[in-house]
Structure formats: structure tokens, C-alpha cells
Amino acid sequence: MLIRLTPLALAALVGCAAPSLSQGPQNLAPAQFTQLPSAAPGAATMTAAFVDSAQLQRVVDEVLANNRDLRAAAARLKQAEALATAAGAQRLPTVGVGASASRQRAPNDQGQFNTFSSYGVNATAGWEVDLWGRAAAAAQAAGYDAESAALDRDAAQLSLAGTALNLQAQLIGLGHRLKLAKETLVVQNQLLDLVKARVGAGRNTALDQARAEALVAQTSASVPALRNAACLTRLQLDVLRGQPPADCDKADSDPLPGMPQPRLISLGTLPDPAGLLAQRPDVKAAAVRAQAAASRAHVAWAARWPSVGLTGQIGWSAGAASDLFKSATRIHSLAAALNWNFLDFGARKAEESAARAGFEAAVAAAEQAQLAALQDAQGSLSTLRETELQATAQAAAAEATQRARDLAFKRYDAGVTDFYSLLNAEQERLAAQDALIQVQAGRASALLAVHKAFAARLTASAP
């Protein structure tokens, strides 16, 4: 039902105020992080230093330039900015111009038909008085949408760069594991030839030869699995770079980059938990979306009350085009109208309730984003700390198994020990060397995860 109110009734309605919303997102940051890497006691300072940082930088540049998800995020930002501009324009008056010309044949009062012409030019202006702040709140919500879209783009850039660097570290690690397996096969085949010669000379048994053949077969079986894992990782990386999947067989012939050897060097003090939340783009985007939801709740509330519009028109209308713009042909008007759909059977009140629920959901999502960011940061710090310890221990283990294998071969060659001891030493050496490469790749990934969690720079110059 549409009604028009008197100025006295309107003055009474102006006294209504928008109801307040519940509290926005709370700051859930603890006082400090409980686990810091042992290499950076106290206020941790760190950055990533890699053997081949130039290659890693190229990976990041290609992802940021060509990734399709980032292009979509940039397009959504342009869309949100355009909608924000349109919403802001709704608060301003609208002005339009028009012109008309017609020729008609119609009867006059005596029933005689006459032909006459009519010409007109006019300009109109309209403006809705923003009594309840509906237009302002709508423009504010659209502005928050644009801000959150920009933050979403920044978060996507950070996430994709981190993911690409992690895949590159994994790919390098797989390449070195494959190289180790192939080099080990050469040694193990030489060992098998030696055993065969000794069996022919009666110095070894057929059991020794069978064990040597089994060791060669086991190592050979690992090569296809490693090659396939490297292929799948390379395909993922190609998609992130926005490239068609590459030929894995051709890629295997490319020079193998150096194994990432990250170390902790000074970049700046890691932010405390509160500082982390203040700089994470995904956390900020979630908080901005809560602000947008609050503005939309105000829009829904304001829609329940009357709207006031002002319109004006000025123009000229004449029977001949030559008479246009003469004072005698000028027409003008000025009008104000108040509209209120006061009986809608609770539809707008329900829309307001829905908008309030949307705000509460956005608040919960913003707080959840904080918790996820804190978990990400704390978990990455813990992983880095433990991986550093693991890398140190695994390097010592790899060195010890290499010494043990060399000693076992000398003892076997001298006839002091049996082939089984040499076989075990060779298996332990291969397992320890392979594990060391995996830990080195994991350490690189752990350091990258810290930088991603703290929204820090993900590449640095080589040491």
C-alpha cells in the first residue's frame, strides 16, 4: 500500500534511529607466539636465502603475471570498484535532457480535423533525500566490497606465490632424489658385477648374487615413482604459471637446479600475533566484509521507512520549431513526494533480520579468519623449528652411513666381512641420503610457509 504523509507525520518519523548491531569481530590474538625457531631466539628475524633465488624469483614472476585465478581476482576488483562508483553516484541528483517533435491530425471541438505540429525541449532533475542514510550506507557497503576485493587479490597473490615456490622446492628435491637413485644404480651395478665375478671364482655364493640383484631391482623400482612424482609436481606448477602442461620427458633433460639450502638471516622482527593479524590480507578482507555486512544491515533497516524525492523540470514547448526558447513557450515545475509502503506484511522487517544475520555470519567468519591465521603462523614456526633440528640430525646420519658403507666395502674387499654386511651398509646409505634430500626440501618449504603465514616477502637474494 502506497501512502503520502504530511510534513508533521514526516517530522515524527525522523525521530526514529537505526537500531545498533551486535559487537563486531573481536581481536583473538594472544600476547605472543609460544614456539620460535631455535636459530632465532627472542625476537625472531628471518628471511629465505636460497642457492638459486633467481630461478625462484622467475617462478614467482611468471605466476603473478600469468595465473588465471589472479586475473579473475583482478577482474573482480575492477567490477567491485565500478559498482562502488555506481553506488556512490546514487547519492547525487540525476539530470536528464530530452527533445520531441510530432505531427498529428486530430479533430477540434467542432469535429473538424486539423493537422498541427508540436516541438519540445526539456531538462529534468531528480534527487532522493537520504533521510535514513540508506543511500550512504549502500555506497559505504559497495566501497567495503571494493576494499575486500583488493585484499582478496593480495591474499591470492601471496598464497599462489607461496604455493608455486613450495612446488618448485619439491620439484628440485625430487630431481635430486632421482639423481641420487640413478647414481646409486651405477654403484650398485658395479657391486653386482663384482659379486658375479667372485661367484664365478668361488669366493661368493649364489645367495650373495641374488641379494645384490634384489638391491639393484629395488633401486630401479624407485626411479619410475620418483619420475612420475616430479612430472605431477611440474604439471601443477605449469598450471599455476598459466601455461599448458609441459612434456615431462623433455623437462627431464633440463639442467638440475641446486638443492635449496635456506638459512635464517636478518630481515626484520617477526610481528607479534596482533601485528600478524593486522598485516594478513585475508584477515583484513574478512574484517572488511563484516563492515560491509553492517552497512547492508543499515540499508535493510532504512528500507522500512518513507522515502522523499524531489523533482524539477524546465523546458520549452511550441507548435513551431522557430518559437522554441521564447519566454512565452517556457514551462517549468518543481515537486516533492513522500512514499511509504507501510503495509508489506513483514517483508522488509524479514529482510532486515536476514541482513542482521548476514552481519553476524560475517563477524564469525572474520574471527575464524583470525584463528586460521594464528594457527598457520604458529604451526609454520613449529614446523620450521623442528625441521631445522631434523635437518641437522639427518645430515649427521647421512655422513655416518656414508662412512659405514665405505668401511664395509673395504672390509668386504679384504675378505674380513661377508657380503650381507656390505649390502646392509649400502641400503642404509641410500636411505639416509634420500631422507636428507627430503628433509632439505622440507626445510625450504617450512621457511617459505613462515613467510607466507606472516605475509612477508617470499624470495631474497642469494647468500
Side-chain angles (χ1 to χ4, degrees):
M1 180 181 295
L2 179 66
I3 66 169
R4 299 181 182 274
L5 297 181
T6 64
L8 181 61
L10 176 60
L13 285 172
V14 172
C16 299
S20 61
L21 295 168
S22 59
Q23 186 177 6
Q26 300 182 28
N27 189 337
L28 304 179
Q32 61 182 8
F33 293 111
T34 58
Q35 296 180 352
L36 293 174
S38 57
T45 59
M46 60 183 62
T47 187
F50 295 97
V51 172
D52 190 1
S53 61
Q55 185 199 50
L56 296 178
Q57 186 61 55
R58 286 195 298 272
V59 171
V60 173
D61 292 342
E62 289 175 357
V63 169
L64 297 184
N66 302 312
N67 183 267
R68 298 304 192 269
D69 289 335
L70 285 183
R71 289 187 184 180
R76 286 191 291 270
L77 173 58
K78 290 182 179 180
Q79 181 185 40
E81 289 174 341
L83 292 175
T85 301
Q90 296 296 321
R91 304 176 60 186
L92 304 175
T94 59
V95 178
V97 296
S100 63
S102 65
R103 185 169 180 79
Q104 301 179 9
R105 176 176 172 80
N108 56 20
D109 295 342
Q110 289 75 36
Q112 298 175 341
F113 282 84
N114 295 318
T115 301
F116 60 91
S117 300
S118 176
Y119 301 91
V121 177
N122 66 83
T124 60
W127 179 46
E128 181 181 341
V129 182
D130 198 11
L131 288 176
W132 321 106
R134 182 191 62 80
Q140 190 177 48
Y144 285 139
D145 287 342
E147 184 178 353
S148 65
L151 290 168
D152 286 338
R153 178 205 56 192
D154 296 342
Q157 288 178 341
L158 179 67
S159 177
L160 289 169
T163 301
L165 288 176
N166 187 39
L167 287 172
Q168 182 66 20
Q170 292 179 30
L171 185 60
I172 295 174
L174 287 167
H176 280 269
R177 292 180 64 195
L178 185 59
K179 178 183 178 183
L180 172 65
K182 291 179 178 179
E183 291 175 348
T184 301
L185 272 176
V186 174
V187 175
Q188 290 176 353
N189 276 303
Q190 292 173 350
L191 185 60
L192 176 59
D193 292 339
L194 176 61
V195 171
K196 287 179 178 180
R198 291 199 172 194
V199 169
R203 298 176 59 185
N204 278 108
T205 66
L207 178 60
D208 293 335
Q209 180 177 336
R211 286 173 172 170
E213 291 173 346
L215 181 60
V216 170
Q218 288 174 357
T219 305
S220 298
S222 68
V223 171
L226 291 172
R227 192 162 50 228
N228 183 59
C231 179
L232 296 179
T233 303
R234 187 177 289 109
L235 294 179
Q236 293 181 61
L237 191 56
D238 286 340
V239 171
L240 285 182
R241 292 154 133 177
Q243 301 174 356
D247 184 352
C248 291
D249 293 335
K250 181 180 179 181
D252 286 339
S253 62
D254 296 339
L256 182 62
M259 188 66 204
Q261 298 287 345
R263 59 188 177 91
L264 301 184
I265 60 177
S266 177
L267 173 67
T269 302
L270 285 177
D272 58 13
L276 164 70
L277 298 182
Q279 72 181 27
R280 286 265 301 215
D282 53 342
V283 173
K284 292 192 289 185
V288 171
R289 279 191 281 270
Q291 291 177 297
S295 296
R296 288 193 170 86
H298 186 98
V299 172
W301 170 84
R304 297 177 57 189
W305 306 106
S307 62
V308 175
L310 301 177
T311 58
Q313 178 180 356
I314 184 172
W316 292 264
S317 179
S322 59
D323 292 334
L324 286 176
F325 305 111
K326 293 181 179 179
S327 58
T329 64
R330 187 177 66 185
I331 57 175
H332 62 270
S333 66
L334 182 65
L338 184 148
N339 300 319
W340 185 18
N341 291 318
F342 76 97
L343 183 59
D344 60 4
F345 302 98
R348 284 178 174 77
K349 185 175 181 180
E351 291 173 355
E352 180 187 354
S353 297
R356 285 174 168 273
F359 169 73
E360 293 174 1
V363 169
E367 293 178 350
Q368 182 63 29
Q370 292 185 42
L371 294 175
L374 293 170
Q375 176 193 6
D376 191 14
Q378 187 68 77
S380 65
L381 288 174
S382 176
T383 300
L384 179 59
R385 184 185 68 175
E386 301 303 327
T387 306
E388 287 287 334
L389 298 175
Q390 183 184 10
T392 301
Q394 190 60 48
E399 182 181 357
T401 56
Q402 181 65 50
R403 292 198 311 268
R405 189 266 182 196
D406 294 341
L407 181 59
F409 182 79
K410 290 179 181 179
R411 290 172 62 84
Y412 171 74
D413 192 46
V416 177
T417 187
D418 60 5
F419 178 73
Y420 186 69
S421 298
L422 175 59
L423 183 67
N424 285 340
E426 174 63 19
Q427 289 176 321
E428 291 172 356
R429 181 195 70 84
L430 175 59
Q433 292 287 345
D434 186 71
L436 177 60
I437 294 175
Q438 294 184 61
V439 171
Q440 289 173 339
R443 183 173 60 173
S445 296
L447 188 52
L448 290 170
V450 170
H451 280 256
K452 179 181 174 183
F454 284 85
R457 191 162 61 100
L458 288 169
T459 58
S461 59

